[in-house]
Amino acid sequence: MIFRPALRPLLFFLALCGSAFGADRLSNPLADAPDWKTLEKFQRTITHDEFERLLRDVYCPKGIREELIRVDSDAACILTDRDAQRWFVLRFAKSEKSRKAPPRFWRSGSKLPRGTKTKPLLGLRIALDPGHIGGEWAKIEERWFQTGDVAPIEEGEMTLRVAKMVAERLTALGAKVSFVRDRTEPVTPYRPADFKETARAVLKANGVENPPEEFAGRDDPSREQTIGWQSELLFYRTSEIRERARRVNNKLRPDVVLCLHFNAEAWGDERNPTLTDKNHLHLLVNGSYLPDELEHDDDRFEMLHRLLSRTYDEELKVADTAATAMAKATGLPPYQYTTDNVIKVGTSGYVYARNLVATRLYRCPVVYFEPYVMNSVEVVARIKAGDYEGTQVVNGIERRSIYREYADGVVEGLVEYYKTAPSR
Ligand SMILES: [Zn+2]
């Protein structure tokens, strides 16, 4: 399940008052200041045509102002300092043949050592990122509901369970598997109380003066305007994902990250949730930045870093192959977005490009899985049935356990992609 985008327009507004965060720049809360010099290493690693293709078709399909990125025939000029009107000049390679290789820690499928018949994933470094935190944090992160008198359903616990199954199988196939999170505890060392001042600044920048400290409960309609709720959001969304990105980029440095989630439709009251008949599947890769997001210095910088690292073509191939395997394993139809913050990409019909914090900040190919609607009648019945070997009749249909079926799709997709990657 993806964090609700409700705050996006607000974030842009608050970013205009960037000085509230101690810096005169347009940025997201808790974002590191972009280090534009680090883009120097990408000089002459990409041709004009390739840069244009990725910029216009993948990352900025809704447009980008010329004042932010101007593309000339031999270079692109990128705005780095609005007040001083400073620009970074990226020089293009003259041809595909003469271009330098982009520096990066991850390896594409075609550059990996050859696998064997029994170990087709030999040497592949995979990081698993089970979505959310779960455990005692599940209610705070609003990934918890209870229907009837059975145990509560928590996305963060379910994603970890799937990740452990996936890890065991991928390891047996020769992959080196690491976890971005391996327990129902936060990766960030901070807690909501650490973000009270930032929460106050966020609210002030959104025109909320003298906000109340606490909210009455999860159904309090004015909770978004309290310091308590904003501090929690900064903890479990912003700080947590930024800390996971540091772990991925500085410590794990994998060839690919798999973000594992369960999707959901709005369920209303967590103790009397609305159940739905809808059930679907989609996968996400990074792209489709909105024009307002590109005004943020940190969004623009990370977008360029991704574009120049050339992650898109690799992650799309992994995602498309994995989506086909997931569709086969689950039998689910593709989710159809009704919002304009995505574009459909690839050929499977299940993959979209979208600008999520995790897919933006992890500096390697990232495939973000969103199968199953957790609060659908069918999925609730399958979650209640728990994990089991073989098949069982659930809601009148004979099925694998939902966790094993999810793991099957992920593993089969990866094996399919990496065994057929060009050099293998
Ligand atoms: Zn999720």
Side-chain angles (χ1 to χ4, degrees), residues 32 105 242-254 361 363:
D32 294 332
F105 60 72
R242 289 189 180 280
E243 199 58 38
R244 290 189 195 195
R246 281 182 200 108
R247 183 174 281 196
V248 168
N249 298 338
N250 302 332
K251 197 170 158 209
L252 307 180
R253 297 164 80 86
L361 296 184
R363 290 187 169 170

Side-chain angles (χ1 to χ4, degrees), residues 1-2 132 143 155 261-262 370:
M1 185 176 173
I2 296 168
H132 312 286
R143 296 297 181 277
E155 187 183 353
H261 288 251
F262 283 78
E370 281 284 2

Side-chain angles (χ1 to χ4, degrees), residues 315-382:
E315 73 187 2
L316 178 62
K317 282 185 277 185
V318 182
D320 239 353
T321 318
T324 305
M326 284 295 290
K328 201 172 150 203
T330 64
L332 290 172
Y335 174 58
Q336 304 297 342
Y337 271 85
T338 52
T339 50
D340 69 350
N341 55 343
V342 296
I343 50 167
K344 204 170 228 185
V345 292
T347 55
S348 66
Y350 286 88
V351 183
Y352 291 88
R354 180 172 170 182
N355 176 23
L356 298 177
V357 187
T359 60
R360 179 172 76 242
L361 296 184
Y362 298 177
R363 290 187 169 170
C364 59
V366 182
V367 180
Y368 198 104
F369 293 75
E370 281 284 2
Y372 307 111
V373 171
M374 271 194 308
N375 59 322
S376 70
V377 176
E378 184 184 313
V379 172
V380 165
R382 297 185 70 185

Side-chain angles (χ1 to χ4, degrees), residues 198-208 211 224-227 230:
T198 313
R200 198 178 292 280
V202 167
L203 288 164
K204 190 174 179 196
N206 282 280
V208 182
E224 295 188 18
Q225 256 112 73
T226 65
I227 302 221
Q230 289 289 345

Side-chain angles (χ1 to χ4, degrees), residues 373-395:
V373 171
M374 271 194 308
N375 59 322
S376 70
V377 176
E378 184 184 313
V379 172
V380 165
R382 297 185 70 185
I383 295 169
K384 282 182 182 172
D387 182 39
Y388 48 85
E389 279 188 39
T391 57
Q392 267 188 29
V393 176
V394 182
N395 253 14

